[in-house]
Amino acid sequence: MFRAHWWAAVAAVTRQVGDLELAEDAVQDACAAALAQWPAEGWPSSPRGWLIGTARHKALDRLRRDRRRMDKEAEAMREDAAPHAPGGWTAGTDDELALIFTCCHPALDPAARVALTLRSVCGLTTAEIAAAFLVPEPTMAQRLVRAKRKIRQAGIAFRVPGPGDLPARLAAVLRVVYLVFTEGHLTAGGGALIRGELCDQAIRLARALAALLPSEPEVLGLLALLLLTDARRDARLSPDGDLVLLADQDRGRWDRAMIDEGEALVERALRANRPGPYQVQAAIAACHSGAATAAETDWREIALLYGELLRYEPSPMAEANRAVAVAMSEGPAAGLVILDTIGGDARLARWPQLHIARAELLRRLGRRTEAIAAYEAAIALEPPAPERAYLARRMREW
């Protein structure tokens, strides 16, 4: 219930009371009330409507206790008195987009925009967001507090910006959607490798953005990337819940409809001749989806595309992915040189995938002791349980 309705509830209450922090607190209180009441009284016919209505009343109660917010209280009371649809009011796409654009306002620190949206829109915990950003949890908590205060103090409006303001806001919003999907596609920790509801949520939002901006190639590129990547979801785990690497996946289990839609979107985006990082990543994903077998994958083309991606996003993560592609096309020694060159970056030291990639290349080179040390370093960072099980199995198989 929390995961399914958090976003809509926070969006609805924020629109009504004009205060994101207050809305979050009220929705949390409503979730706590649901945990207390529903086991005894049964689930309401409209869980989302119940949650929004309860949160709205809790927010109004708090406003009534705060005499410094009389104007906002009057506005919220007028909203509360307005007629609502049967079964309870539910937030629509416009409110949900408005919430994201509010969280991504240019007045906010760029590092805080994505984190705030992951918290306010998706309900991720501070620990989960910190893991996604590869920073300590207290650092992330401070960013979130500062961002919420800034929204309130600056009087940032809760709305989708007009055409003149969209360019300055779009990059951060696209980044939000991408990271929401990334957290769902490869969860930073815990027992599950995949959080399907986050993947679905990110795709839904990408579709909403594409409907809002149908001629923006980076929006189309992002939607294509998510579709092409998520098409492999069912093949990523075995029936027993074990991790299945891309090369070993049953490509017959890939969602062909999603792949066809994603590939069409890539072509449509590239025809605009305004390339960007999401289009490049979508093209990389299309290289994988277009290969009938793992052996037919054009790794040389993928390595070139990662080189192009580095022009837009010169990050150590992109360089690490390029190293894997180089290893597949030119041999493990060539890829390992790149990984060892970037391995000193402090951000990568907390990224399990770097250690996994090094372990696999060292394994292929026959350097057993170093490979096992790299596997152990990855396990120590506590990736999701299926990934830990896979790494332990790889160590035992040697």
Side-chain angles (χ1 to χ4, degrees), residues 2-275:
F2 178 85
R3 291 175 178 172
H5 305 309
W6 168 270
W7 182 10
V10 172
V13 179
T14 300
R15 179 177 63 85
Q16 292 162 3
V17 302
D19 188 320
L20 173 59
E21 190 166 20
L22 174 60
E24 270 196 7
D25 290 344
V27 174
Q28 289 183 150
D29 289 345
C31 286
L35 289 172
Q37 295 178 29
W38 293 4
E41 301 174 5
W43 278 51
S45 59
S46 173
R48 180 174 296 192
W50 187 98
L51 186 63
I52 291 172
T54 301
R56 182 176 64 244
H57 288 301
K58 288 182 178 295
L60 291 175
D61 287 342
R62 188 167 301 186
L63 285 174
R64 292 186 185 101
R65 294 194 299 266
D66 187 350
R67 308 313 299 176
R68 294 173 299 176
R69 297 181 179 178
M70 290 298 295
D71 291 341
K72 289 183 179 178
E73 179 183 3
E75 180 181 349
M77 288 299 291
R78 287 194 295 272
E79 180 70 34
D80 189 38
H84 299 291
W89 188 90
T90 58
T93 298
D94 286 347
D95 273 353
E96 294 167 359
L97 287 175
L99 178 58
I100 289 209
F101 276 102
T102 299
C103 292
C104 297
H105 194 280
L108 299 176
D109 181 87
R113 297 174 196 166
V114 176
L116 180 61
T117 309
L118 289 171
R119 172 66 191 133
S120 300
V121 175
C122 301
L124 269 66
T125 66
T126 303
E128 289 171 324
I129 301 169
F133 275 81
L134 305 180
V135 300
E137 184 176 349
T139 300
M140 184 54 64
Q142 292 173 0
R143 287 184 191 175
L144 292 170
V145 169
R146 286 195 298 266
K148 292 175 187 178
R149 288 176 180 170
K150 180 70 173 181
I151 288 176
R152 183 173 62 251
Q153 294 168 356
I156 292 174
F158 181 76
R159 64 180 179 85
V160 177
D165 297 327
L166 270 175
R169 307 274 289 278
L170 186 59
V173 172
L174 294 179
R175 186 67 174 167
V176 164
V177 180
Y178 175 76
L179 285 180
V180 170
F181 181 83
T182 299
E183 177 60 25
H185 178 73
L186 185 59
T187 302
L193 179 69
I194 303 167
R195 292 179 61 176
E197 77 282 357
L198 287 184
C199 296
D200 294 339
Q201 189 176 51
I203 290 173
R204 184 167 72 89
L205 182 57
R207 289 192 185 280
L209 289 170
L212 180 68
L213 300 166
S215 300
E216 175 52 56
E218 274 294 83
V219 174
L220 300 178
L222 176 62
L223 178 55
L225 171 62
L226 303 194
L227 290 171
L228 291 169
T229 305
D230 198 52
R232 305 193 295 264
R233 187 197 301 185
D234 289 345
R236 294 178 61 216
L237 293 175
S238 72
D240 295 330
D242 295 329
L243 174 66
V244 181
L245 296 185
L246 178 62
D248 302 322
Q249 289 175 10
D250 177 1
R251 300 189 176 213
R253 297 181 64 193
W254 291 2
D255 189 318
R256 182 49 55 181
M258 294 180 75
I259 289 173
D260 290 344
E261 182 182 2
E263 290 177 345
L265 284 167
V266 173
E267 295 178 4
R268 179 178 159 195
L270 293 176
R271 282 198 298 268
N273 200 28
R274 286 188 285 140

Side-chain angles (χ1 to χ4, degrees), residues 287-359:
C287 285
H288 289 295
S289 65
T293 66
E296 296 177 53
T297 304
D298 190 344
W299 285 105
R300 190 174 299 276
E301 176 67 15
I302 291 173
L304 291 172
L305 286 169
Y306 272 119
E308 182 70 11
L309 179 61
L310 286 166
R311 292 179 51 202
Y312 300 99
E313 293 187 358
S315 71
M317 285 75 169
E319 188 69 72
N321 285 318
R322 186 179 77 88
V324 173
V326 168
M328 296 300 295
S329 61
E330 300 179 21
L336 189 60
V337 168
I338 299 173
L339 287 182
D340 286 344
T341 300
I342 63 176
D345 191 298
R347 291 171 293 179
L348 288 183
R350 300 178 60 199
W351 192 39
Q353 277 62 41
L354 171 70
H355 303 287
I356 295 170
R358 287 193 74 254

